[in-house]
Amino acid sequence: MGSAIAAHLANAGIPCLLLDLEGLAVKGIARLKETKPSPLYDPAFAARIRAGDLDRDLAQLSECDWVIEAVSEKLDVKHSVWKRIDSVWRPGMIVSSNTSGLSINEVTSVCGEACRRHAMVTHFFNPPRYMKLLEIVPCRDTDTQAVADVSRFCQDRLGKGVVIAKDTPNFIANRIGTYSMLVALQAMEKHGLTVDEVDAVTGPLLGRPKSATFRTLDLVGLDTILHVCRNVRENITDPLEAAAFAAPAIVEELVSRGWLGEKSGGGFYRKNDAERSKDRIQVLDPATMTYGSRRKPASHALEAAKMAKGTSAKLQALLEAADEDRLAAFARDVLEATLCYSAEKLGEIADTVLEIDQAMKWGFNWEEGPFETWDSLGVAVTASKLEERGKAVPAPVASLLDKGSGTFYVRKAGSVFHYSQGHYKFVEERPEVLSLGMLRDRGRTVFAADGASLIDLGDDVACLEFHSPHNAIGPGVLSAIRQASEEVDRNWRGLVLANEGRNFCVGANLMLLLMEAENGEWEEIDLIIREFQMSMQSLRVMPRPVVAAPHRMTLGGGVEACLPSDRILFAAETYFGLVETGVGLIPAGGGCLAAAVLAQDRAEAAGLDDVTSPISQMFETIALAKVSESGHHAKRLGYWRSGDGVSMREETRIAEAKNAVLELDRRGYAVPDADRQVRVGGREAATLLKLGVSSMRRSGYISDHDAKIAGKLAGVLAGGDVPAGMAIPEQHLLDLEREAFLSLCGEPLTQARMRQMLATGKPLRN
């Protein structure tokens, strides 16, 4: 965990000293480059971490501004390390423990007062790169300014979602998250459910991750869960709560057998490597302690919940069926117990409902926090139903209702207030954070179209926000792009392309395309592609600066929407790539044109007369449907241009993009050349690329259809049958990519690939 934290600090450009027992730090840094998923945005960032020996190099800690202890969760071990840190502590140094649940007051009891004033818990959720939550827990002596400084630094530099927790066992997220999983185990026994049935209910239907209950337990480690339970039991005084954290017998049995979950090869699930079918993943039968095939539960209530739109509607569907369906009854028991426990802990583990809700969303990936769920289900209605079934209403809920309030959150004029210690507290807004949802609530929508809206960001900058299903690009989005281009040209200083969806854009509307291809509507497909190209070109030639701010999955058409912009501000977690070959096609919304321009620009920057080498790199990236593993990694794939950058903090990404637009405008924005010519590799480059494809086909690495797709791509990227180094109009490249795309749409093998992707989400190699 220490090396993973160091990796994320390195991701943020911060040099680190990693101290461990002799030789272990060096090995830890080496492992960072091999671990998948990678703790590093770019393997080169490992150079920012310097290895040291805890005994020999302890004095070097005095050079550090922040010392993070991440040794094992044993108080005596932590005391030993903290004594040594205290011996080299210097004024102003922050010292923190990465403990997941030990008392910071006990950990720091061996230190001097000066050190304690700068000491706290900084609990990074694992893995630190990917998990947003960071719980900060001050000890009784911690200086409030030190807490504020660390909190701000972790938000702004590390991109973390920070919550301030109290020094209670397991803090916020692990306390409630573990309780929720234990409740599920207890309710499983009550209702006689299988592991499959429990996970079918406690995943997305409850607004939780797909890993649900038992997959999550396996990922965390069953021995770790026992440790968490024990830590709560041994440090609380309420016997009823202690009983709720009793170690589940089935978990103890699995641990005694060494079946610890994923790290040991099996827990509630295991892989059967001898099996290659869907039965490769087997599930435990707790009654016999044997593994067998997974089974999909049959339940009308579950099917109704799956059809409902949004977490609140899914929960309502389950609750309405709870008196007739045992899986829905199980869901009600788990949900109500979790909501009540969260309410009971308000004031004890955290002061505000906001901290608890954010901790569960950022730390356990819940769609809604428990108090947001109280509100969405109706606080008064839920409390009344609890009373009808003879259950106690938690005191904070009763107090809220007694005051005549109906929700834990109140929204007024686009501002949010949350319930805290008997009154509502304004949710502080920071100027560097822009929320499109809040701006919509404040009436800042310029226009709302089918699939996209234009939002006023202030300072005469607008944002085009996709909101189609999966943010896929279809006719409505394309129309909105053209409308936004015209509107911004007339009335605004510039445009941001961004949204707050789960992903920026997963590509074009593949279902629509497949339907047209199967029906032989070639003129209609040609029209769709022309409109796609025209829409993206309208962004490129707009006489106002355009900055794209993609995040997470940005694939195919999503990439083609970004590349015409003047700047791309990648979120740190951006998975960026032209992936059309995976469905038997090539990029045709300007993606091949953009790749040729990138190759030309790279050749010019390197002083090369020949564009063949950079074209070859782009060909390989696109032909193999490579996707970046981070925003930084997009540079290695050849997608970066001069001026592009990465935003570490998700909440500030849109504001940073807005500032980039303003900066381009202040510098005196040069209107793009609508008649730009592109220097290409021509027939010589195409021949070279196709020779490579032919070699791969003869070696059996690719199929005949793969070779056909790659051949089409090579011809387009090289600019067609023209001499090497010739400058050709952009429209010529657009025509080439459209013609190749159309011809591939007519291939039965391509249509099979498209069907496979739509049906399973996985590529077909045929």
Side-chain angles (χ1 to χ4, degrees), residues 38-53:
S38 177
L40 295 161
Y41 292 149
D42 189 300
F45 292 173
R48 296 169 179 166
I49 308 172
R50 179 164 50 96
D53 178 83

Side-chain angles (χ1 to χ4, degrees), residues 354-402:
L354 182 65
E355 286 163 330
I356 293 176
D357 280 350
Q358 288 178 330
M360 299 318 300
K361 291 190 291 184
W362 292 339
F364 275 73
N365 292 319
W366 290 9
E367 289 288 335
E368 294 180 344
F371 294 98
E372 290 174 325
T373 303
W374 273 103
D375 282 359
S376 65
L377 295 178
V379 177
V381 171
T382 303
S384 176
K385 290 182 178 179
L386 286 170
E387 290 176 328
E388 289 175 7
R389 286 192 292 282
K391 298 183 178 181
V393 176
V397 177
S399 173
L400 181 82
L401 295 174
D402 288 344

Side-chain angles (χ1 to χ4, degrees), residues 409-661:
Y409 292 89
V410 174
R411 288 169 171 79
K412 293 181 180 178
S415 296
V416 178
F417 300 81
H418 61 92
Y419 191 70
S420 171
Q421 299 177 332
H423 63 276
Y424 288 98
K425 181 179 179 181
F426 177 65
V427 177
E428 180 184 0
E429 297 179 26
R430 290 173 58 176
E432 71 272 21
V433 175
L434 284 177
S435 164
L436 297 179
M438 296 290 284
L439 291 173
R440 283 195 302 273
D441 290 344
R442 293 171 183 169
R444 302 277 282 274
T445 301
V446 180
F447 71 75
D450 179 20
S453 296
L454 192 67
I455 309 295
D456 179 3
L457 297 181
D459 298 314
D460 294 326
V461 177
C463 176
L464 184 64
E465 171 195 28
F466 299 169
H467 46 67
S468 58
H470 305 294
N471 286 344
I473 297 178
V477 172
L478 294 176
S479 176
I481 289 174
R482 296 193 297 275
Q483 184 180 350
S485 299
E486 294 170 1
E487 167 66 22
V488 171
D489 180 16
R490 290 193 301 266
N491 300 312
W492 302 78
R493 293 171 70 180
L495 177 69
V496 169
L497 296 175
N499 62 68
E500 295 170 330
R502 182 181 296 273
N503 299 298
F504 177 77
C505 176
V506 298
N509 187 331
L510 191 61
M511 175 64 79
L512 173 63
L513 190 61
L514 177 60
M515 290 173 56
E516 300 290 5
E518 290 180 331
N519 292 330
E521 299 289 348
W522 309 119
E523 290 184 2
E524 185 63 29
I525 294 175
D526 183 71
L527 178 61
I528 291 171
I529 300 307
R530 287 179 185 275
E531 289 182 349
F532 204 127
Q533 293 177 339
M534 182 171 59
S535 300
M536 301 311 160
Q537 285 294 92
S538 73
L539 292 173
R540 192 193 78 73
V541 302
M542 190 170 65
R544 305 288 182 186
V546 179
V547 175
H551 67 285
R552 298 193 68 81
M553 289 177 64
T554 305
L555 306 175
V559 173
E560 291 177 308
C562 293
L563 291 177
S565 65
D566 299 287
R567 296 284 185 273
I568 301 178
L569 181 67
F570 296 91
E573 298 298 339
T574 304
Y575 317 123
F576 194 88
L578 292 166
V579 296
E580 286 84 353
T581 59
V583 290
L585 299 168
I586 68 165
C592 289
L593 165 62
V597 172
L598 286 167
Q600 171 190 256
D601 293 346
R602 196 149 293 115
E604 290 178 356
L608 300 176
D609 294 329
D610 186 0
V611 299
T612 300
S613 178
I615 277 288
S616 296
Q617 180 193 7
M618 294 308 303
F619 171 76
E620 180 180 323
T621 295
I622 298 171
L624 297 179
K626 292 183 179 180
V627 176
S628 72
E629 297 177 4
S630 70
H632 288 280
H633 186 233
K635 188 172 188 177
R636 286 181 177 264
L637 297 187
Y639 285 119
W640 271 43
R641 298 87 46 86
S642 175
D644 290 347
V646 172
S647 174
M648 281 291 290
R649 189 177 176 200
E650 178 62 26
E651 289 88 349
T652 63
R653 173 175 52 88
I654 295 174
E656 289 178 52
K658 171 189 166 182
N659 290 336
V661 166

Side-chain angles (χ1 to χ4, degrees), residues 217-230:
L217 287 168
D218 278 356
L219 288 169
V220 171
L222 303 186
D223 53 339
T224 302
I225 292 297
L226 291 183
H227 169 76
V228 171
C229 292
R230 182 170 60 252

Side-chain angles (χ1 to χ4, degrees), residues 210-250:
K210 291 181 180 179
S211 55
T213 297
F214 291 109
R215 178 66 177 140
T216 298
L217 287 168
D218 278 356
L219 288 169
V220 171
L222 303 186
D223 53 339
T224 302
I225 292 297
L226 291 183
H227 169 76
V228 171
C229 292
R230 182 170 60 252
N231 189 50
V232 176
R233 282 199 316 275
E234 294 177 351
N235 291 283
I236 57 176
T237 57
D238 182 356
L240 291 178
E241 185 177 3
F245 280 87
I250 180 60

Side-chain angles (χ1 to χ4, degrees), residues 26-286:
V26 173
K27 293 178 181 177
I29 295 171
R31 279 197 302 271
L32 293 175
K33 300 177 183 180
E34 302 167 358
T35 302
K36 297 295 181 183
S38 177
L40 295 161
Y41 292 149
D42 189 300
F45 292 173
R48 296 169 179 166
I49 308 172
R50 179 164 50 96
D53 178 83
L54 184 59
D55 295 320
R56 185 177 59 251
D57 301 316
L58 181 68
Q60 294 185 30
L61 289 183
S62 62
E63 304 169 9
C64 300
D65 298 309
W66 179 14
V67 176
I68 304 171
E69 166 270 305
V71 299
S72 64
E73 292 285 88
K74 296 178 180 178
L75 194 57
D76 59 339
V77 177
K78 289 189 180 291
H79 278 169
S80 174
V81 172
W82 276 73
K83 285 178 183 177
R84 302 178 77 177
I85 295 171
D86 190 39
S87 71
V88 297
W89 185 85
R90 62 166 175 78
M93 179 193 291
I94 297 294
V95 187
S96 67
S97 175
N98 186 56
T99 177
S100 60
L102 295 181
S103 167
I104 187 60
N105 284 299
E106 291 186 13
V107 169
T108 59
S109 63
V110 297
C111 299
E113 182 182 350
C115 181
R116 291 200 306 273
R117 284 200 300 270
H118 296 80
M120 64 194 75
V121 166
T122 51
H123 178 209
F124 290 80
F125 267 58
N126 193 27
R129 168 185 164 179
Y130 299 96
M131 296 301 293
K132 184 171 182 176
L133 179 61
L134 175 70
E135 293 176 315
I136 292 182
V137 187
C139 71
R140 64 176 63 93
D141 299 316
T142 309
D143 180 72
T144 55
Q145 188 59 50
V147 173
D149 290 345
V150 173
S151 177
R152 187 71 177 249
F153 180 85
C154 291
Q155 287 178 338
D156 294 348
R157 284 297 300 274
L158 304 184
K160 289 297 176 185
V162 174
V163 299
I164 307 300
K166 296 190 174 185
D167 192 20
T168 57
N170 298 101
F171 314 132
I172 301 174
N174 280 340
R175 184 80 168 265
I176 292 175
T178 302
Y179 178 86
S180 181
M181 288 189 285
L182 293 174
V183 165
L185 284 165
Q186 294 159 9
M188 170 187 182
E189 185 174 350
K190 172 185 173 182
H191 294 280
L193 272 56
T194 65
V195 169
D196 278 329
E197 289 174 326
V198 170
D199 275 0
V201 175
T202 57
L205 295 187
L206 288 190
R208 312 282 171 81
K210 291 181 180 179
S211 55
T213 297
F214 291 109
R215 178 66 177 140
T216 298
L217 287 168
D218 278 356
L219 288 169
V220 171
L222 303 186
D223 53 339
T224 302
I225 292 297
L226 291 183
H227 169 76
V228 171
C229 292
R230 182 170 60 252
N231 189 50
V232 176
R233 282 199 316 275
E234 294 177 351
N235 291 283
I236 57 176
T237 57
D238 182 356
L240 291 178
E241 185 177 3
F245 280 87
I250 180 60
V251 177
E252 288 191 314
E253 174 62 24
L254 286 166
V255 171
S256 72
R257 294 174 179 232
W259 300 356
L260 307 180
E262 187 168 272
K263 61 186 174 184
S264 69
F268 286 100
Y269 294 94
R270 74 172 184 185
K271 288 183 181 178
N272 179 7
D273 291 329
E275 180 62 63
R276 295 300 178 197
S277 69
K278 65 179 181 179
D279 292 330
R280 186 183 183 198
I281 304 298
Q282 297 181 319
V283 64
L284 180 73
D285 179 355

Side-chain angles (χ1 to χ4, degrees), residues 510-511 513-519 522 580-585 703 705-706 709 743-766:
L510 191 61
M511 175 64 79
L513 190 61
L514 177 60
M515 290 173 56
E516 300 290 5
E518 290 180 331
N519 292 330
W522 309 119
E580 286 84 353
T581 59
V583 290
L585 299 168
S703 68
H705 195 53
D706 290 328
I709 299 163
S743 68
L744 288 170
C745 278
E747 295 283 345
L749 292 178
T750 285
Q751 294 177 20
R753 291 189 179 195
M754 295 164 72
R755 281 192 293 271
Q756 170 85 357
M757 181 61 70
L758 288 168
T760 68
K762 298 178 181 179
L764 171 67
R765 300 301 302 274
N766 57 3

